[in-house]
Amino acid sequence: MENKNEKIVFETEDGVEEFYVLEQTMLGGINYILVTDDMESEEGSFLILKEGSDSEDDFASYEILEDENELKAVIKIFDELLDDFDLEV
């Protein structure tokens, strides 16, 4: 995932969802990505996804980051990496 704003496709239980990767970082050996569903509007939804550790396939497994303390730490890193975004929990 070297290209920022790269569109990625996720297979979910409800079907397929597409997101744009805004940034990625690593904390404590775990990969996190910041994604949005809309690159055109400032009102798009943002998610922080955490790479799962049980991925045995050639494909990465991600889950939505929900732990509030972990979320605050990762948001702080993304805030420093992205000058033109103001992320809040």
Side-chain angles (χ1 to χ4, degrees):
M1 212 171 306
E2 295 175 14
N3 297 330
K4 292 186 177 111
N5 300 332
E6 173 183 350
K7 185 187 279 190
I8 56 175
V9 178
F10 287 95
E11 291 183 22
T12 67
E13 294 173 356
D14 300 327
V16 174
E17 293 188 48
E18 294 182 349
F19 291 100
Y20 295 92
V21 177
L22 299 174
E23 187 61 78
Q24 100 179 49
T25 191
M26 203 165 237
L27 178 64
I30 299 172
N31 190 38
Y32 298 89
I33 57 174
L34 174 65
V35 299
T36 185
D37 60 350
D38 185 359
M39 287 297 297
E40 303 299 319
S41 168
E42 292 183 19
E43 301 298 319
S45 299
F46 296 92
L47 293 171
I48 295 179
L49 304 176
K50 176 181 180 178
E51 188 170 0
S53 60
D54 61 343
S55 180
E56 296 176 8
D57 300 335
D58 290 338
F59 300 101
S61 169
Y62 286 90
E63 59 189 42
I64 297 172
L65 183 57
E66 295 179 355
D67 179 88
E68 191 171 330
N69 292 329
E70 188 176 8
L71 188 59
K72 286 179 182 179
V74 175
I75 283 177
K76 187 174 181 178
I77 294 170
F78 283 132
D79 268 338
E80 292 174 9
L81 293 172
L82 297 167
D83 294 332
D84 52 346
F85 285 91
D86 185 23
L87 303 172
E88 298 178 8
V89 177

